């Protein structure tokens, strides 16, 4: 009979959860990771094959030390896994003068000495003719930014967690957990388990597992679309960077990725385009997965206008979920009233994936020691009145 008691249980083996399982297992802990779907899957927040990783963080400079650690950790994982997980493509930022994205990028780059180039629109046109930008736009280029192969990253962490002794269960749903004198009980669709400490990394489903946060977490349906440019070779990695473009009068920003090399192409073929801004609020049990023309109309309008040689409708589109905290910053820490036995990470608000390599380390520190030396004080739940 397999044991039903573990040192640590991780609920949700998606982006952050597999990394937590890995970091706990390599420290010699007995870990069970429980995932309600497959590892990875297309129903949560990690679908779509690629994610941007960047250091000149416009959202807040306090994220930069965590990103420096994430870059370090992903390199280690890549070496261990033996296959590419990160591609350094550079990232082009563009927007109208005074836009907050460019201001935030400049601020983080200056504070943390992150290489950043300023380009004029003419220089951009000469270097990256794929973009059609208005003449008055400002352009910045972060050469050390790039993309993570998201599903590959999850597979790598899951594989290496298992090698280190973690037990990962797929297609098992956690129904509830409860705190007892010297342990935590976890009831799933298959069995009851006990553990010394619990980690919750349940993404869009966090509100069902963490008491008191239901009204602090908005889940939105996001749409990603892939377009096939007429001259594919000039949109390939090596020819064109990732990009993030703010448009005058439009909330959020559009962003996208170059064509991946054929050897890495496991998702849809084409350049991926999306809009970084909370989409439609949705109910978890009734997410509309079918894509309508209206869903992709603004992505198509953006791609046709701002990317030269991209015409017509997308060749493929998918949905993905954002789980948004009230201030769009992550929430990480030990849950109140759990005597330090339960920690959680939630509210990644559409920009969390690049932190996967460091968030697992943080969760492992919190679960094992009750604190972490990594600077996450600014992400504590108490700023949201949760205590
Ligand atoms: C369209 C889109 C584009 C994005 N682009 C970027 C980007 O370019 N760069 C970037 O850094 N970030 C990006 N993000 C954000 C990033 O992908 C997310 O922040 C990150 O994946 C969130 O990780 P998570 O672990 O919280 O959620 P998930 O990866 O969804 O993992 C949570 C897991 O918990 C499981 N679970 C939940 N409840 C239970 C239960 N009761 N029992 C068992 N299992 C359970 C779920 O099935 C899921 O697998 C993007 C997100 C989207 C949707």
């Amino acid at each position: 009979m397999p044991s039903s008691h573990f040192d640590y249980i991780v609920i949700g083996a998606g982006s952050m959860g597999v990394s937590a399982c890995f970091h706990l297992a390599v420290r010699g802990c007995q870990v069970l990771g429980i995932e309600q779907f497959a590892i990875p899957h297309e129903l949560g927040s990690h679908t779509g094959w690629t994610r941007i990783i960047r250091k000149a963080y416009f959202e807040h400079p306090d994220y930069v030390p965590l990103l420096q650690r994430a870059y370090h950790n992903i390199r280690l994982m890549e070496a261990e896994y033996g296959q590419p997980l990160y591609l350094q493509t550079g990232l082009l930022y563009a927007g109208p003068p005074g836009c907050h994205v460019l201001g935030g990028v400049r601020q983080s780059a200056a504070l943390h000495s992150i290489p950043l180039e300023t380009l004029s629109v003419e220089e951009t046109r000469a270097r990256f003719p794929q973009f059609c930008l208005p003449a008055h736009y400002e352009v910045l280029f972060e050469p050390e930014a790039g993309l993570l192969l998201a599903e590959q990253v999850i597979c790598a962490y899951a594989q290496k967690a298992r090698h280190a002794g973690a037990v990962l269960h797929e297609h098992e749903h956690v129904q509830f957990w409860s705190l007892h004198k010297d342990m935590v009980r976890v009831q799933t669709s298959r069995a009851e388990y006990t553990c010394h400490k619990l980690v919750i990394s349940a993404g869009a489903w966090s509100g069902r597992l963490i008491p008191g946060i239901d009204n602090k977490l908005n889940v939105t349906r996001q749409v990603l679309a892939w377009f096939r440019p007429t001259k594919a070779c000039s949109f390939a990695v090596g020819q064109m960077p990732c990009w993030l473009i703010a448009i005058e009068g439009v909330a959020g920003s559009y962003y996208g990725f170059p064509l991946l090399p054929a050897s890495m192409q496991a998702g849809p073929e084409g350049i991926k385009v999306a809009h970084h801004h909370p989409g439609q609020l949705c109910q978890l049990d009734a997410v509309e997965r079918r894509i309508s023309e209206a869903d992709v109309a603004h992505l198509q309008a953006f791609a046709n206008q701002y990317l030269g040689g991209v015409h017509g409708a997308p060749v493929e589109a998918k949905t993905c979920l954002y789980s948004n905290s009230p201030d769009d910053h992550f929430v990480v820490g030990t849950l109140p009233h759990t005597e330090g036995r339960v920690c959680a990470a939630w509210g990644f608000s559409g920009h969390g994936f690049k932190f996967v390599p460091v968030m697992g380390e943080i969760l492992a520190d919190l679960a094992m020691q009750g604190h972490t030396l990594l600077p996450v004080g600014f992400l504590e739940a108490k700023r949201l009145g949760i205590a």
Side-chain angles (χ1 to χ4, degrees), residues 12 14-16 34-37 41 44-46 51-52 172-174 201-203 205 209 224 255 320-322 348 350-354:
S15 316
M16 308 302 162
I34 308 175
E35 170 53 49
Q36 62 185 345
F37 303 126
H41 63 86
S45 298
H46 54 260
R51 293 290 186 265
I52 290 177
E172 182 166 354
H173 176 251
V174 173
S201 51
W205 291 265
L209 290 161
L224 305 155
Y255 66 95
C320 189
L321 303 177
Y322 273 9
F348 286 95
H351 60 111
F353 199 90
K354 61 186 82 60

Side-chain angles (χ1 to χ4, degrees), residues 172-321:
E172 182 166 354
H173 176 251
V174 173
Q175 293 163 335
F176 59 87
W177 58 270
S178 53
L179 201 60
H180 296 266
K181 201 166 154 238
D182 50 1
M183 67 174 142
V184 185
R185 279 184 206 278
V186 175
Q187 180 64 50
T188 77
S189 46
R190 270 193 235 158
E192 184 186 272
Y193 305 95
T194 54
C195 60
H196 182 52
K197 301 267 186 84
L198 181 67
V199 175
I200 304 177
S201 51
W205 291 265
S206 298
R208 294 184 174 173
L209 290 161
I210 304 174
I213 68 158
D214 239 357
N215 63 348
K216 313 256 184 211
L217 186 70
N218 278 334
V219 178
T220 55
R221 172 182 178 271
Q222 308 293 135
V223 175
L224 305 155
W226 284 261
F227 294 84
R228 249 184 231 141
T230 40
K231 253 178 78 187
C233 57
S234 58
F235 284 82
V237 164
Q239 301 298 311
M240 125 182 259
C242 292
W243 73 90
L244 198 141
I245 300 176
I247 307 290
E248 244 150 356
V250 179
S253 44
Y254 287 89
Y255 66 95
F257 301 78
L259 284 172
L260 295 177
S263 59
M264 293 175 193
Q265 188 69 60
E269 243 183 79
I271 51 171
K272 190 174 95 179
V273 177
H275 184 216
H276 179 53
H277 186 67
Q280 300 162 313
L281 276 178
C282 62
Q283 298 301 319
L284 282 168
D285 296 324
V287 178
E288 178 55 85
R289 301 282 173 184
R290 281 170 308 182
I291 304 287
S292 70
E293 273 183 28
D295 284 331
V296 292
H298 69 119
L299 299 177
Q300 181 176 336
F302 169 83
N304 292 178
Q305 183 175 349
Y306 289 86
L307 302 174
V310 176
H311 308 289
V315 289
E316 181 143 4
K318 286 179 190 281
T319 56
C320 189
L321 303 177

Side-chain angles (χ1 to χ4, degrees), residues 47-52 147-151 226 257 260 272:
T47 194
W49 200 242
T50 45
R51 293 290 186 265
I52 290 177
L147 62 88
L148 294 173
L149 296 166
E151 274 111 325
W226 284 261
F257 301 78
L260 295 177
K272 190 174 95 179

Side-chain angles (χ1 to χ4, degrees), residues 57-59 95-107 246 251-253 276:
Y57 221 57
F58 65 83
E59 289 86 345
C99 91
H100 94 281
V101 170
L102 297 181
V105 169
R106 283 194 193 94
Q107 188 193 16
S253 44
H276 179 53

